[in-house]
Amino acid sequence: MSFDQNKYIQEWDKKNMKYVGAKYKASFVNEFKEACLILDIKQSEVFRKAIQETIDQAKQKKPTL
């Protein structure tokens, strides 16, 4: 039996990854996509940074038990 890398990746993704979704007006999304192209950044990187900043802010406010 041979190792099926694609199957392994799919199984790993299923166990370890999740999607975050949002819906906005088309003109807003188009403007965002254009801004990413101009700035030469990936959309996913913008989302990751915003999510991480939110997590960091929450950690600062969260009372320690």
Side-chain angles (χ1 to χ4, degrees), residues 9 30 37 52:
I9 291 170
N30 291 338
L37 286 172
Q52 189 62 58

Side-chain angles (χ1 to χ4, degrees), residues 1-45:
M1 209 172 205
S2 65
F3 176 69
D4 186 345
Q5 185 174 359
N6 287 333
K7 183 177 179 183
Y8 173 80
I9 291 170
Q10 288 175 349
E11 289 174 1
W12 189 92
D13 273 357
K14 189 174 183 180
K15 292 177 187 174
N16 296 290
M17 304 296 280
K18 290 190 177 193
Y19 285 97
V20 178
K23 185 176 179 179
Y24 299 102
K25 285 184 128 183
S27 60
F28 184 66
V29 172
N30 291 338
E31 190 173 11
F32 170 69
K33 288 180 177 186
E34 185 177 345
C36 288
L37 286 172
I38 291 168
L39 297 172
D40 193 30
I41 55 176
K42 293 182 179 182
Q43 296 171 34
S44 61
E45 182 62 19

